[in-house]
Amino acid sequence: MVELTLNFAQILVNSVITGSVFLLASLGLSLTYGLLKFPNVAHAEFFTFGAYMAITFGEFWKLGFALGAVGGFFASGLLGLAAYVTIFRPLTRRGASLIHMTVASVGLGLALRFSIQQVWGRQIILFKEEFGKFDIGPVRLTDLWVTIIIAAIVLGIGFHLLLSRTKLGKAIRATADNPVLAMASGINTEKILVIVWFLGSGLAGVGGVFKGADARIAPIMGFEVIITAFAVVILGGIGSFYGTVVASYILGFAENLGVVALFYLDLTIEYRTAVSFIILVAVILLKPEGLAQIQLRAIKRNSTA
Amino acid sequence: MNGSERNLLITVGAALGGLAFLGVARILPSNNISFIADAVVAVGLFGILALSLNLEYGFTGLVNFGKAAFYMIGAYASAMFSFALAPVIFRQFGETVQAGLLMFTGGLVGGVLVSALAGFLVSLPSLRLREDYLAIITLVFAEIIRVILRNTYFYDDVGGILGLRHVPSIFPVVQGRYELYPLTNAVFVMVFFLIFYFVANLIVNSPFGRVMRAIREDETAAQALGKNTFRVKAQVFSVGSAIAGASGAIYAQYLGYTSTDLFLPITTFQIYIIAILGGVANNNGALLGSVFVILLDRGARVIKDYFGSVPFLSAIDPLNLQFILTGILLVMFMMFRPEGLLRESKLKTLPD
């Protein structure tokens, strides 16, 4: 077996990058799950669609990577919005059960994935964009990775400010907490849902752009990431923004540690996906409400003490 | 029957008729009986899977997005059991029909048991929670067990992307007459479908079946009446997985081969459209839906030959179109007719 010195700094940085992509991929899923109370399996396809639209805008139409990524955001956002308006809103209004909503989202995901495969082909596509590489101490970084981390930080701070400082954020929290009460207090919950679906799907699209630029673009990429995204959502607590942030980085770290462990055990790193399953089962067994509840309880204990 | 229902029926009927016509037009000139027999085998296998999904989804309201995984576990486990039994059986019986039968029976029992156990264990953590947790955990489990089996080599050339080869078949090809093989298997699979059809009907018309429906309609009410809903759900999930495992075992012996690539997540969603299209909580619907989906599947392959020559249509891959259509149908049914085409079967209980 090959002797390897572990580069802990690199593992940590890689975990942050992986976690940032998970955050982008799962935030919309968690928020729509919290608002409409069903797991939207088609969220995976918003991730994939963003990547394909970005490469179409950025490289086939030669607009550049940055504009492509912005295009990916809007394309996925609009797709998510269209899905909400044409499918999930009518279903909610008809009083469809959680099961029916979930099965409908599976059907939508199927139709979208194979439409994507029909338009762009099932073979892998790679971004031609070259990202500059540089070293900081022992850590290798690329421009893309720095962009991913900055994007996640901007998203984190932006969403925190949105939720805590603005009227819109307050309305989002109120709607997530109790939609009927929110509506009764004069909040336009319909507008909130539209905004959240657009933002959440768009962010998934950006996640897809980054993942696609870092690895490859394929019709299956969204389905691969949704497995981890569900673990993030359940671990973070459904609908909780702060929980999702923490859970994303926990999963990112766990996956990178898993890769190292598998390498040392001389096993294929393909097994790394099992990490999210183990975490998912553990959370469901031990703490099905997720991290968000733990925090709340700690705060309550502090405030009463 | 109101207007919208009739329209739906007419649309589906027209689609079925068109595909059937294309299929027949393609098959008759080449006189290819094997093609039809192979489709019948697929109808039977998917019919059995739909029966098992109906027990979970239709009658009990449990969402299992990992059906393909239990189908796969049945195929893999039965193949492994057959391999393990093969040396003993061959020493005792030589290469005879009894040997094939014994190996299949051993494999089937093993596959069913392992599949049931897997279903039981996977459902266990989430059954006390809301149904969406079960949906998520089965979806994730299915993908992960597939990735793991795809990357695990039991020996140098057994397992992994190579799959399991030389799975013992129950009907050996006699004197090179390959055309008889799908035909005998078609009959064999349909016999199994009928067995499971009667088993499923027995279950749902028993007192146990009434508890299943009660859980689907209102779990709290069922609990209030003193039913241990947690145990019933775990039992239903185990039985459903066992039946799916049996289908996998039959599939593995039919192909003489099994591989993770035969059990992609798309298989699960095909089983959903079968169960929903035929009629949720209606076992007759399993066969109707299965015929429809297999016609769609075989039709897509047949149409491919026709599409090639048409300038515009040749750009569309019928296999993509098939799954796009499957997805759209799932959405449409959830929106306009979540109970499926056939109504829920009435409870058949013996008068006191």
Side-chain angles (χ1 to χ4, degrees), chain B residues 276-328:
Chain B
I276 290 166
L277 190 135
V280 177
N282 185 320
N283 287 332
N284 301 327
L287 197 60
L288 175 71
S290 190
V291 168
F292 175 79
V293 164
I294 298 304
L295 271 180
L296 197 65
D297 185 70
R298 300 301 139 117
R301 293 179 207 186
V302 171
I303 282 175
K304 208 169 182 171
D305 300 347
Y306 292 88
F307 270 25
S309 52
V310 185
F312 173 68
L313 290 177
S314 60
I316 300 172
D317 183 349
L319 291 177
N320 288 340
L321 196 62
Q322 175 197 353
F323 293 127
I324 296 171
L325 216 59
T326 307
I328 293 174

Short mmCIF file of all heavy atoms in Angstrom, two decimals, chain B residues 276-328:
data_model
loop_
_atom_site.label_atom_id
_atom_site.label_comp_id
_atom_site.label_asym_id
_atom_site.label_seq_id
_atom_site.Cartn_x
_atom_site.Cartn_y
_atom_site.Cartn_z
N ILE B 276 -50.16 2.91 -10.40
CA ILE B 276 -51.09 4.03 -10.37
C ILE B 276 -52.02 4.00 -11.57
O ILE B 276 -53.23 4.18 -11.45
CB ILE B 276 -50.32 5.36 -10.30
CG1 ILE B 276 -49.66 5.49 -8.93
CG2 ILE B 276 -51.24 6.53 -10.56
CD1 ILE B 276 -48.62 6.56 -8.86
N LEU B 277 -51.43 3.73 -12.74
CA LEU B 277 -52.24 3.73 -13.96
C LEU B 277 -53.30 2.64 -13.90
O LEU B 277 -54.46 2.86 -14.21
CB LEU B 277 -51.31 3.51 -15.15
CG LEU B 277 -51.93 3.73 -16.52
CD1 LEU B 277 -50.99 4.55 -17.36
CD2 LEU B 277 -52.21 2.41 -17.20
N GLY B 278 -52.90 1.45 -13.46
CA GLY B 278 -53.84 0.36 -13.40
C GLY B 278 -54.96 0.65 -12.42
O GLY B 278 -56.10 0.31 -12.65
N GLY B 279 -54.62 1.29 -11.33
CA GLY B 279 -55.62 1.54 -10.31
C GLY B 279 -54.99 1.28 -8.96
O GLY B 279 -54.58 0.17 -8.68
N VAL B 280 -54.90 2.34 -8.17
CA VAL B 280 -54.29 2.21 -6.86
C VAL B 280 -55.20 1.33 -6.00
O VAL B 280 -56.42 1.48 -6.03
CB VAL B 280 -54.10 3.60 -6.22
CG1 VAL B 280 -53.51 3.47 -4.83
CG2 VAL B 280 -53.19 4.44 -7.09
N ALA B 281 -54.62 0.42 -5.26
CA ALA B 281 -55.37 -0.50 -4.41
C ALA B 281 -56.34 -1.34 -5.23
O ALA B 281 -57.47 -1.59 -4.84
CB ALA B 281 -56.12 0.25 -3.30
N ASN B 282 -55.89 -1.74 -6.42
CA ASN B 282 -56.67 -2.66 -7.23
C ASN B 282 -55.70 -3.63 -7.87
O ASN B 282 -54.89 -3.24 -8.71
CB ASN B 282 -57.46 -1.89 -8.28
CG ASN B 282 -58.39 -2.79 -9.06
OD1 ASN B 282 -58.04 -3.92 -9.40
ND2 ASN B 282 -59.58 -2.32 -9.33
N ASN B 283 -55.77 -4.89 -7.49
CA ASN B 283 -54.76 -5.85 -7.97
C ASN B 283 -54.95 -6.21 -9.43
O ASN B 283 -53.99 -6.60 -10.09
CB ASN B 283 -54.77 -7.10 -7.09
CG ASN B 283 -54.15 -6.83 -5.74
OD1 ASN B 283 -53.30 -5.95 -5.62
ND2 ASN B 283 -54.57 -7.56 -4.73
N ASN B 284 -56.17 -6.08 -9.96
CA ASN B 284 -56.36 -6.31 -11.39
C ASN B 284 -55.58 -5.27 -12.18
O ASN B 284 -55.08 -5.53 -13.26
CB ASN B 284 -57.83 -6.22 -11.77
CG ASN B 284 -58.66 -7.22 -11.01
OD1 ASN B 284 -58.18 -8.32 -10.72
ND2 ASN B 284 -59.87 -6.86 -10.67
N GLY B 285 -55.51 -4.07 -11.59
CA GLY B 285 -54.83 -2.97 -12.26
C GLY B 285 -53.36 -3.25 -12.49
O GLY B 285 -52.77 -2.72 -13.43
N ALA B 286 -52.77 -4.08 -11.63
CA ALA B 286 -51.34 -4.37 -11.78
C ALA B 286 -51.06 -4.95 -13.15
O ALA B 286 -50.08 -4.58 -13.80
CB ALA B 286 -50.89 -5.34 -10.68
N LEU B 287 -51.94 -5.83 -13.61
CA LEU B 287 -51.72 -6.45 -14.92
C LEU B 287 -51.97 -5.44 -16.03
O LEU B 287 -51.17 -5.33 -16.97
CB LEU B 287 -52.65 -7.66 -15.07
CG LEU B 287 -52.26 -8.63 -16.18
CD1 LEU B 287 -50.87 -9.19 -15.94
CD2 LEU B 287 -53.27 -9.74 -16.29
N LEU B 288 -53.05 -4.68 -15.90
CA LEU B 288 -53.38 -3.67 -16.91
C LEU B 288 -52.22 -2.67 -17.07
O LEU B 288 -51.75 -2.40 -18.17
CB LEU B 288 -54.66 -2.93 -16.51
CG LEU B 288 -55.09 -1.76 -17.39
CD1 LEU B 288 -55.59 -2.28 -18.73
CD2 LEU B 288 -56.15 -0.92 -16.72
N GLY B 289 -51.76 -2.15 -15.92
CA GLY B 289 -50.67 -1.17 -15.95
C GLY B 289 -49.40 -1.77 -16.52
O GLY B 289 -48.67 -1.14 -17.28
N SER B 290 -49.14 -3.02 -16.15
CA SER B 290 -47.92 -3.68 -16.60
C SER B 290 -47.94 -3.84 -18.12
O SER B 290 -46.94 -3.59 -18.80
CB SER B 290 -47.79 -5.03 -15.90
OG SER B 290 -46.54 -5.57 -16.15
N VAL B 291 -49.09 -4.26 -18.65
CA VAL B 291 -49.21 -4.40 -20.11
C VAL B 291 -48.95 -3.06 -20.77
O VAL B 291 -48.20 -2.96 -21.75
CB VAL B 291 -50.62 -4.92 -20.48
CG1 VAL B 291 -50.86 -4.80 -21.98
CG2 VAL B 291 -50.79 -6.36 -20.03
N PHE B 292 -49.51 -2.00 -20.20
CA PHE B 292 -49.33 -0.67 -20.78
C PHE B 292 -47.86 -0.27 -20.80
O PHE B 292 -47.31 0.15 -21.81
CB PHE B 292 -50.15 0.36 -20.00
CG PHE B 292 -49.92 1.76 -20.48
CD1 PHE B 292 -50.54 2.22 -21.63
CD2 PHE B 292 -49.06 2.61 -19.80
CE1 PHE B 292 -50.31 3.50 -22.09
CE2 PHE B 292 -48.83 3.90 -20.25
CZ PHE B 292 -49.46 4.35 -21.39
N VAL B 293 -47.20 -0.41 -19.65
CA VAL B 293 -45.81 0.05 -19.55
C VAL B 293 -44.89 -0.79 -20.44
O VAL B 293 -43.98 -0.26 -21.09
CB VAL B 293 -45.34 0.03 -18.08
CG1 VAL B 293 -43.83 0.12 -17.99
CG2 VAL B 293 -45.97 1.19 -17.34
N ILE B 294 -45.13 -2.09 -20.51
CA ILE B 294 -44.27 -2.93 -21.35
C ILE B 294 -44.52 -2.63 -22.83
O ILE B 294 -43.59 -2.59 -23.64
CB ILE B 294 -44.48 -4.43 -21.03
CG1 ILE B 294 -44.08 -4.71 -19.57
CG2 ILE B 294 -43.66 -5.30 -21.97
CD1 ILE B 294 -42.66 -4.32 -19.21
N LEU B 295 -45.79 -2.36 -23.18
CA LEU B 295 -46.08 -1.96 -24.56
C LEU B 295 -45.33 -0.67 -24.90
O LEU B 295 -44.75 -0.53 -25.97
CB LEU B 295 -47.58 -1.74 -24.75
CG LEU B 295 -48.40 -2.95 -25.17
CD1 LEU B 295 -49.85 -2.55 -25.32
CD2 LEU B 295 -47.88 -3.51 -26.49
N LEU B 296 -45.36 0.26 -23.94
CA LEU B 296 -44.65 1.52 -24.13
C LEU B 296 -43.16 1.26 -24.32
O LEU B 296 -42.50 1.82 -25.20
CB LEU B 296 -44.88 2.39 -22.90
CG LEU B 296 -44.58 3.88 -23.00
CD1 LEU B 296 -45.51 4.53 -23.99
CD2 LEU B 296 -44.73 4.54 -21.63
N ASP B 297 -42.64 0.37 -23.48
CA ASP B 297 -41.21 0.06 -23.49
C ASP B 297 -40.81 -0.62 -24.80
O ASP B 297 -39.87 -0.21 -25.48
CB ASP B 297 -40.91 -0.84 -22.29
CG ASP B 297 -39.44 -1.11 -22.15
OD1 ASP B 297 -38.72 -0.17 -21.79
OD2 ASP B 297 -39.01 -2.24 -22.41
N ARG B 298 -41.54 -1.68 -25.16
CA ARG B 298 -41.20 -2.40 -26.40
C ARG B 298 -41.54 -1.54 -27.61
O ARG B 298 -40.84 -1.55 -28.61
CB ARG B 298 -41.95 -3.73 -26.48
CG ARG B 298 -41.66 -4.68 -25.33
CD ARG B 298 -40.20 -5.03 -25.25
NE ARG B 298 -39.79 -5.03 -23.86
CZ ARG B 298 -39.35 -6.10 -23.20
NH1 ARG B 298 -39.21 -7.23 -23.82
NH2 ARG B 298 -39.01 -6.00 -21.93
N GLY B 299 -42.65 -0.79 -27.48
CA GLY B 299 -43.04 0.09 -28.57
C GLY B 299 -41.95 1.09 -28.88
O GLY B 299 -41.63 1.35 -30.04
N ALA B 300 -41.32 1.64 -27.80
CA ALA B 300 -40.26 2.62 -28.00
C ALA B 300 -39.11 2.01 -28.79
O ALA B 300 -38.52 2.66 -29.66
CB ALA B 300 -39.77 3.14 -26.65
N ARG B 301 -38.80 0.74 -28.51
CA ARG B 301 -37.70 0.09 -29.23
C ARG B 301 -38.07 -0.16 -30.68
O ARG B 301 -37.25 -0.03 -31.58
CB ARG B 301 -37.35 -1.24 -28.57
CG ARG B 301 -36.78 -1.05 -27.20
CD ARG B 301 -36.48 -2.38 -26.57
NE ARG B 301 -36.55 -2.27 -25.12
CZ ARG B 301 -36.21 -3.24 -24.30
NH1 ARG B 301 -35.80 -4.38 -24.77
NH2 ARG B 301 -36.30 -3.06 -23.01
N VAL B 302 -39.35 -0.55 -30.89
CA VAL B 302 -39.79 -0.83 -32.25
C VAL B 302 -39.85 0.46 -33.06
O VAL B 302 -39.37 0.53 -34.19
CB VAL B 302 -41.18 -1.52 -32.22
CG1 VAL B 302 -41.74 -1.61 -33.61
CG2 VAL B 302 -41.06 -2.89 -31.58
N ILE B 303 -40.42 1.49 -32.43
CA ILE B 303 -40.60 2.77 -33.12
C ILE B 303 -39.25 3.32 -33.58
O ILE B 303 -39.14 3.97 -34.61
CB ILE B 303 -41.32 3.77 -32.19
CG1 ILE B 303 -42.81 3.46 -32.16
CG2 ILE B 303 -41.11 5.19 -32.65
CD1 ILE B 303 -43.57 4.31 -31.18
N LYS B 304 -38.22 3.02 -32.81
CA LYS B 304 -36.89 3.52 -33.13
C LYS B 304 -36.54 3.22 -34.59
O LYS B 304 -35.94 4.04 -35.27
CB LYS B 304 -35.86 2.86 -32.19
CG LYS B 304 -34.66 3.70 -31.95
CD LYS B 304 -33.81 3.14 -30.83
CE LYS B 304 -32.63 4.07 -30.62
NZ LYS B 304 -31.86 3.75 -29.46
N ASP B 305 -36.94 2.04 -35.06
CA ASP B 305 -36.63 1.66 -36.44
C ASP B 305 -37.39 2.53 -37.44
O ASP B 305 -36.92 2.78 -38.54
CB ASP B 305 -37.00 0.19 -36.67
CG ASP B 305 -36.21 -0.71 -35.73
OD1 ASP B 305 -35.24 -0.21 -35.14
OD2 ASP B 305 -36.56 -1.89 -35.60
N TYR B 306 -38.60 2.98 -37.03
CA TYR B 306 -39.39 3.80 -37.94
C TYR B 306 -38.92 5.25 -37.89
O TYR B 306 -38.89 5.94 -38.89
CB TYR B 306 -40.88 3.73 -37.56
CG TYR B 306 -41.48 2.38 -37.81
CD1 TYR B 306 -41.44 1.40 -36.84
CD2 TYR B 306 -42.09 2.09 -39.02
CE1 TYR B 306 -41.99 0.15 -37.07
CE2 TYR B 306 -42.65 0.85 -39.27
CZ TYR B 306 -42.59 -0.12 -38.28
OH TYR B 306 -43.13 -1.34 -38.51
N PHE B 307 -38.57 5.71 -36.66
CA PHE B 307 -38.16 7.10 -36.49
C PHE B 307 -36.92 7.43 -37.32
O PHE B 307 -36.75 8.52 -37.80
CB PHE B 307 -37.85 7.38 -35.00
CG PHE B 307 -39.04 7.85 -34.23
CD1 PHE B 307 -40.31 7.54 -34.65
CD2 PHE B 307 -38.88 8.62 -33.09
CE1 PHE B 307 -41.42 7.97 -33.94
CE2 PHE B 307 -39.99 9.07 -32.38
CZ PHE B 307 -41.25 8.73 -32.80
N GLY B 308 -36.06 6.44 -37.48
CA GLY B 308 -34.78 6.66 -38.14
C GLY B 308 -34.92 7.28 -39.52
O GLY B 308 -34.09 8.09 -39.93
N SER B 309 -35.99 6.94 -40.22
CA SER B 309 -36.11 7.40 -41.60
C SER B 309 -36.87 8.72 -41.70
O SER B 309 -36.85 9.37 -42.74
CB SER B 309 -36.82 6.33 -42.44
OG SER B 309 -38.02 5.97 -41.79
N VAL B 310 -37.54 9.13 -40.63
CA VAL B 310 -38.31 10.38 -40.67
C VAL B 310 -37.37 11.53 -40.31
O VAL B 310 -36.70 11.47 -39.28
CB VAL B 310 -39.49 10.33 -39.68
CG1 VAL B 310 -40.35 11.57 -39.82
CG2 VAL B 310 -40.31 9.07 -39.90
N PRO B 311 -37.29 12.56 -41.16
CA PRO B 311 -36.28 13.60 -40.95
C PRO B 311 -36.32 14.25 -39.58
O PRO B 311 -35.31 14.32 -38.89
CB PRO B 311 -36.60 14.63 -42.04
CG PRO B 311 -37.54 13.98 -42.96
CD PRO B 311 -38.13 12.78 -42.32
N PHE B 312 -37.50 14.73 -39.15
CA PHE B 312 -37.54 15.48 -37.90
C PHE B 312 -37.50 14.55 -36.68
O PHE B 312 -36.75 14.76 -35.74
CB PHE B 312 -38.80 16.35 -37.86
CG PHE B 312 -39.00 17.02 -36.54
CD1 PHE B 312 -38.13 18.02 -36.12
CD2 PHE B 312 -40.03 16.64 -35.68
CE1 PHE B 312 -38.29 18.64 -34.90
CE2 PHE B 312 -40.20 17.26 -34.46
CZ PHE B 312 -39.33 18.26 -34.07
N LEU B 313 -38.28 13.47 -36.76
CA LEU B 313 -38.42 12.59 -35.60
C LEU B 313 -37.15 11.80 -35.29
O LEU B 313 -36.95 11.37 -34.16
CB LEU B 313 -39.58 11.62 -35.83
CG LEU B 313 -40.97 12.24 -35.80
CD1 LEU B 313 -42.03 11.21 -36.11
CD2 LEU B 313 -41.24 12.87 -34.43
N SER B 314 -36.28 11.63 -36.30
CA SER B 314 -35.10 10.81 -36.07
C SER B 314 -34.20 11.41 -34.99
O SER B 314 -33.37 10.72 -34.41
CB SER B 314 -34.31 10.65 -37.36
OG SER B 314 -33.91 11.93 -37.82
N ALA B 315 -34.38 12.73 -34.71
CA ALA B 315 -33.56 13.37 -33.68
C ALA B 315 -34.00 12.94 -32.28
O ALA B 315 -33.24 13.06 -31.33
CB ALA B 315 -33.64 14.88 -33.82
N ILE B 316 -35.24 12.46 -32.16
CA ILE B 316 -35.76 12.10 -30.84
C ILE B 316 -35.46 10.65 -30.54
O ILE B 316 -35.78 9.76 -31.33
CB ILE B 316 -37.28 12.35 -30.76
CG1 ILE B 316 -37.58 13.83 -31.03
CG2 ILE B 316 -37.83 11.94 -29.42
CD1 ILE B 316 -39.04 14.13 -31.18
N ASP B 317 -34.86 10.42 -29.39
CA ASP B 317 -34.59 9.06 -28.96
C ASP B 317 -35.85 8.51 -28.30
O ASP B 317 -36.29 9.04 -27.28
CB ASP B 317 -33.41 9.07 -27.96
CG ASP B 317 -33.04 7.66 -27.53
OD1 ASP B 317 -33.82 6.74 -27.84
OD2 ASP B 317 -31.99 7.51 -26.90
N PRO B 318 -36.47 7.48 -28.88
CA PRO B 318 -37.72 6.97 -28.30
C PRO B 318 -37.57 6.53 -26.85
O PRO B 318 -38.54 6.57 -26.09
CB PRO B 318 -38.05 5.77 -29.19
CG PRO B 318 -37.31 6.01 -30.44
CD PRO B 318 -36.07 6.75 -30.08
N LEU B 319 -36.35 6.11 -26.46
CA LEU B 319 -36.18 5.70 -25.06
C LEU B 319 -36.32 6.90 -24.13
O LEU B 319 -36.94 6.82 -23.07
CB LEU B 319 -34.82 5.03 -24.87
CG LEU B 319 -34.70 3.67 -25.56
CD1 LEU B 319 -33.30 3.12 -25.39
CD2 LEU B 319 -35.73 2.69 -25.03
N ASN B 320 -35.76 8.05 -24.55
CA ASN B 320 -35.96 9.27 -23.77
C ASN B 320 -37.44 9.62 -23.73
O ASN B 320 -37.99 9.93 -22.67
CB ASN B 320 -35.20 10.45 -24.39
CG ASN B 320 -33.71 10.32 -24.18
OD1 ASN B 320 -33.27 9.60 -23.30
ND2 ASN B 320 -32.95 11.03 -24.98
N LEU B 321 -38.05 9.54 -24.90
CA LEU B 321 -39.47 9.91 -25.02
C LEU B 321 -40.31 9.05 -24.08
O LEU B 321 -41.22 9.55 -23.41
CB LEU B 321 -39.91 9.71 -26.47
CG LEU B 321 -41.21 10.37 -26.86
CD1 LEU B 321 -41.10 11.87 -26.71
CD2 LEU B 321 -41.58 10.00 -28.29
N GLN B 322 -39.96 7.77 -23.99
CA GLN B 322 -40.70 6.84 -23.14
C GLN B 322 -40.70 7.31 -21.69
O GLN B 322 -41.73 7.31 -21.02
CB GLN B 322 -40.04 5.46 -23.26
CG GLN B 322 -40.63 4.43 -22.35
CD GLN B 322 -39.71 3.23 -22.21
OE1 GLN B 322 -38.69 3.14 -22.90
NE2 GLN B 322 -40.06 2.34 -21.33
N PHE B 323 -39.51 7.73 -21.21
CA PHE B 323 -39.43 8.11 -19.80
C PHE B 323 -39.99 9.52 -19.58
O PHE B 323 -40.51 9.80 -18.50
CB PHE B 323 -38.00 7.98 -19.30
CG PHE B 323 -37.54 6.55 -19.28
CD1 PHE B 323 -36.38 6.16 -19.90
CD2 PHE B 323 -38.32 5.59 -18.65
CE1 PHE B 323 -35.98 4.83 -19.89
CE2 PHE B 323 -37.93 4.26 -18.64
CZ PHE B 323 -36.76 3.88 -19.26
N ILE B 324 -39.87 10.39 -20.59
CA ILE B 324 -40.51 11.70 -20.47
C ILE B 324 -42.02 11.49 -20.33
O ILE B 324 -42.68 12.08 -19.48
CB ILE B 324 -40.19 12.58 -21.70
CG1 ILE B 324 -38.69 12.88 -21.76
CG2 ILE B 324 -40.99 13.87 -21.66
CD1 ILE B 324 -38.25 13.54 -23.04
N LEU B 325 -42.54 10.59 -21.16
CA LEU B 325 -43.97 10.28 -21.13
C LEU B 325 -44.37 9.67 -19.79
O LEU B 325 -45.40 10.03 -19.21
CB LEU B 325 -44.28 9.29 -22.26
CG LEU B 325 -45.60 9.44 -22.97
CD1 LEU B 325 -45.73 10.81 -23.59
CD2 LEU B 325 -45.75 8.37 -24.05
N THR B 326 -43.53 8.75 -19.28
CA THR B 326 -43.79 8.14 -17.97
C THR B 326 -43.90 9.22 -16.91
O THR B 326 -44.82 9.21 -16.09
CB THR B 326 -42.66 7.16 -17.60
OG1 THR B 326 -42.49 6.23 -18.67
CG2 THR B 326 -42.97 6.41 -16.33
N GLY B 327 -42.94 10.16 -16.93
CA GLY B 327 -42.94 11.24 -15.94
C GLY B 327 -44.18 12.10 -16.04
O GLY B 327 -44.83 12.40 -15.04
N ILE B 328 -44.51 12.50 -17.29
CA ILE B 328 -45.68 13.36 -17.48
C ILE B 328 -46.94 12.64 -17.02
O ILE B 328 -47.81 13.23 -16.36
CB ILE B 328 -45.78 13.80 -18.95
CG1 ILE B 328 -44.60 14.72 -19.30
CG2 ILE B 328 -47.09 14.51 -19.22
CD1 ILE B 328 -44.52 15.10 -20.75
#
